[in-house]
């Protein structure tokens, strides 16, 4: 009975790294273009909104608007990078390129493949998030020593959103469905979770909704770290993100098993 | 890795011709180690459709076992079942002593696969494809580098080592897929239509390579639509239709059992009229499209009756596996 599900779980603690390394090797061939592509959008949002709106808004939470926005953009770009790498990159490797089919003929299990893809998507999230953190720090909108604290939070954000996106690709028949995920889930979340303005500006009911969303917890971890402030309820935020990650990982692996190993 | 095997070649044909005396007491133990793949009453369906139906067969190690059958007969599904990529709803599958799918991962460690559709990494070069694939078997870059030259030589791709896969021809891609399947020095090779879409040269080259693998003692499970390929390579065949086994045995036994007499092919006239003409002289006749197939123990009589008729093209030949396949699965295409 249990043995049936063995294929959906990682076989051991290191098999996934072969998948990660495959993706890294492919990425390296176009690394510069990929990095620019990943950073361009959040950067333009940061500077466009930060300087533009910053003029009108002035201070938020006792800091300049652009410094407030920087943490929001770091979390959002980690979310978007991890999601896009999964719904476009991993989905192509599963579906059109049949890379997963080839891997599943080897010693690796489906669980190993999924874990490797999650780790890779999280890596891309870390690259994007760290890139913006460094730019923000260089311009004086974030504290340099904060980077080592922000990094694990960015990585956790990446893994959580990659796992959620893995559930989406396990269910989506084709690329066309990803736009729904983006417009119905990711974009509203960006507005609700305090990336662009403080959550306290929202009606109380929406504030309650935001508390349940993963991005809010990412931002609550990343913003204090970047601004060198004391974070509150770190355990709660980390716990929520971990629950999202683990539940989504298990659900996606089971759904993918049903989809691919019929 | 390949070198090690080459150093101690096992001649499969010699073993087959001179069986070592086996006492009944040994036989039990012998059986266990000699069975590479075992299917017992395996059943698999997709929705209402039964794709593999109460199928049992055994592949001995060192043997080349062919699966034949029309499109949709279930050949690729059987390959997936062997790899544990699909679970049977009834029956028992054992591969290299491991229960499948429960312990398929351990069996896959010792299996190489050439899938029906190429799934090489197009972004990578030939060499990089081998490296990436070796890592899936826990090999280090060093391990892979050590055996890459022998794999490239085996696949005759030495000059293409640093070419990207997109630059390779179909035959080269197939050979690279075969080389990739050998990276873990597998005991069993699962080859799903390894030569479909290749030109005759490319196909002969693959056949020669497969023969070399058999002489090294590898077990091969081969699916194919080329009867010549099956006849040349396979020690035993299993013919499937709609997931059911309809015949099994060595190619020549099947040909003798199912046909057993020379074949005359006639085309260029009205096949129905010609059929009526020669029917009394033949053991069996069959019309396929515009061609009349006439199975006649005494072909001279048939030829004599057709002599004098103009515009006919008549070919007399020994029976082959294609006749068996067509007889068993029906000459006319069905859906
Ligand atoms: N994942 C699947 N879902 C539903 N039906 C499937 C699936 N895979 C295979 N089938 C069906 O199972 C049957 C057997 O397919 P299979 O690919 O095993 O045939 P095959 O003998 O390999 O055919 P071919 O010679 O064309 O490669 C076909 O009718 C096919 O439509
Ligand atoms: Mg097939």
């Amino acid at each position: 009975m249990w043995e049936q599900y063995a294929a959906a779980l990682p076989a051991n603690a290191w098999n996934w790294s072969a998948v990660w390394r495959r993706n890294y090797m492919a990425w390296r061939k176009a690394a510069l273009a990929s990095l620019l592509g990943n950073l361009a959008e959040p950067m333009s949002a940061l500077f466009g909104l930060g300087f533009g709106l910053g003029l009108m808004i002035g201070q938020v939470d006792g800091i300049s608007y652009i410094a407030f926005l920087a943490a929001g953009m770091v979390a959002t770009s980690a979310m978007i990078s991890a999601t896009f790498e999964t719904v476009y990159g991993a989905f192509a490797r599963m579906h059109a390129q049949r890379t997963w089919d080839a891997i599943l003929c080897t010693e690796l299990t489906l669980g190993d493949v999924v874990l490797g893809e999650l780790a890779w998507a999280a890596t891309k999230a870390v690259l994007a998030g760290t890139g913006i953190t460094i730019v923000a720090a260089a311009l004086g909108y974030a504290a340099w020593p904060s980077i080592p604290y922000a990094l694990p939070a960015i990585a956790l954000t990446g893994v959580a959103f990659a796992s959620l996106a893995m559930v989406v690709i396990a269910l989506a028949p084709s690329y066309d469905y990803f736009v729904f995920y983006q417009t119905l889930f990711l974009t509203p979340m960006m507005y609700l979770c305090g990336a662009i303005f403080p959550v306290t500006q929202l009606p109380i009911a929406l504030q309650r909704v935001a508390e349940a969303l993963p991005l809010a917890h990412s931002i609550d971890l990343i913003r204090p770290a970047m601004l060198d402030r004391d974070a509150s309820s770190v355990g709660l935020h980390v716990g929520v993100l971990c629950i999202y990650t683990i539940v989504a990982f298990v659900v996606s692996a089971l759904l993918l098993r049903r989809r691919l190993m019929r | 890795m390949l070198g090690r095997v080459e150093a101690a070649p096992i001649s499969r044909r010699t073993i087959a011709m001179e069986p070592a005396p086996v006492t009944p007491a040994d036989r039990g133990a012998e059986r266990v180690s000699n069975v590479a793949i075992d299917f017992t009453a395996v059943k698999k369906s997709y929705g209402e459709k039964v794709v593999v139906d109460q199928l049992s067969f055994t592949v001995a190690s060192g043997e080349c076992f062919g699966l034949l059958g029309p499109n949709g007969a279930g050949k690729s599904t059987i390959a997936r079942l062997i790899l544990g990529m699909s679970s049977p709803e009834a029956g028992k599958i054992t591969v290299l002593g491991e229960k499948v799918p429960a312990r398929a991962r351990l069996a896959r460690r010792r299996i190489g696969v050439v899938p029906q559709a190429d799934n090489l990494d197009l972004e990578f070069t030939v060499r990089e494809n081998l490296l990436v694939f070796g890592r899936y078997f826990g090999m280090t870059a060093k391990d892979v580098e050590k055996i890459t030259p022998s794999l490239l030589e085996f696949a005759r791709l030495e000059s293409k080592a640093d070419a990207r896969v997109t630059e390779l021809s179909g035959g080269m891609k197939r050979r690279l897929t075969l080389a990739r399947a050998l990276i873990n020095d597998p005991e069993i090779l699962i080859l799903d239509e390894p030569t479909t879409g290749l030109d005759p040269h490319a196909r002969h080259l693959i056949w020669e390579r497969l023969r070399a693998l058999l002489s090294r003692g590898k077990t091969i499970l081969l699916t194919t639509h080329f009867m010549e390929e099956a006849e040349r390579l396979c020690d035993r065949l299993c013919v499937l239709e709609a997931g059911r086994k309809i015949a099994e045995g060595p190619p020549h036994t099947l040909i003798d059992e199912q046909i057993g007499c020379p074949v005359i092919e006639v085309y260029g006239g009205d096949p129905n009229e010609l059929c009526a003409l020669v029917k009394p002289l033949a053991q069996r006749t069959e019309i396929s499209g515009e061609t009349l197939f006439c199975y006649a123990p005494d072909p001279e009589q048939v030829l004599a009756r057709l002599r004098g008729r103009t515009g006919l093209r008549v070919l007399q030949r020994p029976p082959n596996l294609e006749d068996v396949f067509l007889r068993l699965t029906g000459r006319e295409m069905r859906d």
Side-chain angles (χ1 to χ4, degrees), chain A residues 4-107:
Chain A
Q4 282 213 18
Y5 294 96
L9 298 172
N12 57 37
W14 57 87
N15 268 358
W16 62 270
S17 67
V19 177
W20 187 94
R21 294 182 74 166
R22 181 240 163 254
N23 291 346
Y24 172 67
M25 243 174 93
W27 174 81
R28 228 176 29 188
K29 290 183 185 264
L32 200 63
S34 166
L35 268 182
L36 283 177
N38 263 326
L39 291 180
E41 208 208 298
M43 288 298 187
S44 50
L46 180 61
F47 291 121
L49 293 177
F51 287 128
L53 286 181
L55 276 178
M56 295 183 272
I57 296 168
Q59 297 243 314
V60 177
D61 275 357
I63 42 159
S64 72
Y65 178 62
I66 193 164
F68 173 87
L69 185 65
M73 285 301 121
V74 168
T76 310
S77 70
M79 164 177 94
I80 297 284
S81 295
T83 304
F84 277 28
E85 179 58 30
T86 307
V87 298
Y88 295 105
F91 187 72
R93 291 187 281 276
M94 167 180 97
H95 197 64
Q97 300 176 13
R98 299 177 164 276
T99 314
W100 289 19
D101 278 0
I103 304 177
L104 293 175
C105 292
T106 69
E107 239 179 88

Side-chain angles (χ1 to χ4, degrees), chain B:
Chain B
M1 169 184 67
L2 290 169
R4 170 160 61 74
V5 185
E6 253 157 5
I10 305 159
S11 169
R12 183 173 64 105
R13 303 293 157 187
T14 330
I15 292 173
M17 281 185 304
E18 304 166 346
V22 179
T23 63
D26 303 340
R27 210 166 271 146
E30 178 103 336
R31 240 191 84 78
V32 174
S33 61
N34 270 347
V35 173
I37 303 171
D38 188 61
F39 266 51
T40 311
V42 173
K43 186 175 172 215
K44 171 86 198 168
S45 33
Y46 288 117
E48 292 287 280
K49 187 171 175 174
V50 182
V51 176
V52 175
D53 196 0
Q54 294 300 320
L55 184 68
S56 300
F57 67 85
T58 301
V59 181
S61 63
E63 170 176 55
C64 181
F65 188 81
L67 290 178
L68 303 182
N71 292 130
K75 303 178 295 296
S76 300
T77 305
I78 294 169
R80 288 169 54 81
L81 287 167
I82 293 171
L83 294 166
M85 286 165 69
S86 180
S87 306
E89 58 208 66
K92 217 180 98 216
I93 303 173
T94 312
V95 180
L96 293 166
E98 305 288 356
K99 259 179 65 185
V100 170
R103 290 167 63 86
R105 194 178 80 83
L106 300 172
R108 285 201 300 270
R109 204 175 263 179
R110 297 149 70 193
I111 301 180
V113 183
V114 173
Q116 182 166 355
D118 277 327
N119 53 22
L120 294 162
D121 252 315
L122 300 180
E123 291 138 280
F124 293 145
T125 64
V126 168
R127 194 188 296 281
E128 287 169 337
N129 261 280
L130 295 176
L131 170 62
V132 163
F133 213 71
R135 288 217 187 98
Y136 300 142
F137 287 99
M139 298 166 77
T140 63
K142 255 217 185 88
D143 295 338
V144 179
E145 270 159 33
K146 223 183 294 163
I147 58 165
T148 296
S150 66
L151 289 172
L152 291 177
E153 191 198 324
F154 180 83
R156 307 266 160 86
L157 287 171
E158 297 101 318
S159 62
K160 295 285 176 189
D162 296 304
R164 279 166 56 116
V165 169
T166 39
E167 297 162 30
L168 301 184
S169 72
M172 289 173 183
K173 279 190 204 150
R174 238 28 205 154
R175 264 150 40 215
L176 175 56
T177 307
L178 182 60
R180 188 184 74 171
L182 295 172
I183 202 147
N184 54 330
D185 195 14
E187 290 160 53
I188 301 182
L189 283 158
I190 310 284
L191 311 177
D192 198 353
E193 301 191 23
T195 62
T196 297
L198 302 191
D199 72 30
H201 291 293
R203 200 176 303 148
H204 277 276
L205 182 52
I206 297 242
W207 289 346
E208 193 251 322
R209 303 287 72 193
L210 296 185
R211 200 157 274 298
L213 291 171
L214 288 169
S215 69
R216 285 183 207 164
K218 309 275 186 212
T219 307
I220 293 183
L221 182 124
L222 174 81
T223 86
T224 183
H225 290 298
F226 290 109
M227 296 304 128
E228 189 192 349
E229 178 167 297
E231 208 172 320
R232 275 173 180 245
L233 290 170
C234 295
D235 298 299
R236 278 185 320 121
L237 297 171
C238 171
V239 186
L240 299 161
E241 185 165 48
R244 257 172 302 110
K245 177 162 79 183
I246 52 177
E248 186 179 1
H252 287 101
T253 311
L254 287 178
I255 293 169
D256 289 344
E257 280 173 8
Q258 300 289 334
I259 312 289
C261 64
V263 184
I264 298 169
E265 286 181 33
V266 191
Y267 53 103
D270 173 5
N272 291 308
E273 181 221 329
L274 293 168
C275 179
L277 187 69
V278 299
K279 200 160 198 149
L281 304 175
Q283 186 180 65
R284 205 161 57 81
T285 56
E286 214 162 332
I287 295 169
S288 176
E290 51 161 24
T291 309
L292 171 68
F293 290 80
C294 188
Y295 301 91
D298 187 358
E300 290 309 320
Q301 274 190 324
V302 176
L303 293 175
R305 179 148 311 182
L306 292 172
R307 210 161 285 146
R309 296 180 71 102
T310 51
L312 288 188
R313 302 192 27 108
V314 180
L315 170 72
Q316 185 193 331
R317 57 169 177 78
N320 60 29
L321 206 50
E322 189 140 340
D323 298 311
V324 175
F325 184 87
L326 291 173
R327 169 158 196 203
L328 288 172
T329 61
R331 283 207 185 262
E332 301 295 339
M333 276 287 287
R334 347 178 169 144
D335 269 78

Side-chain angles (χ1 to χ4, degrees), chain A residues 46 70 130-147 226:
Chain A
L46 180 61
T130 317
I132 298 167
T133 312
I134 289 172
V135 172
L139 297 175
Y141 301 126
W144 280 112
S146 68
I147 295 179
M226 284 180 67

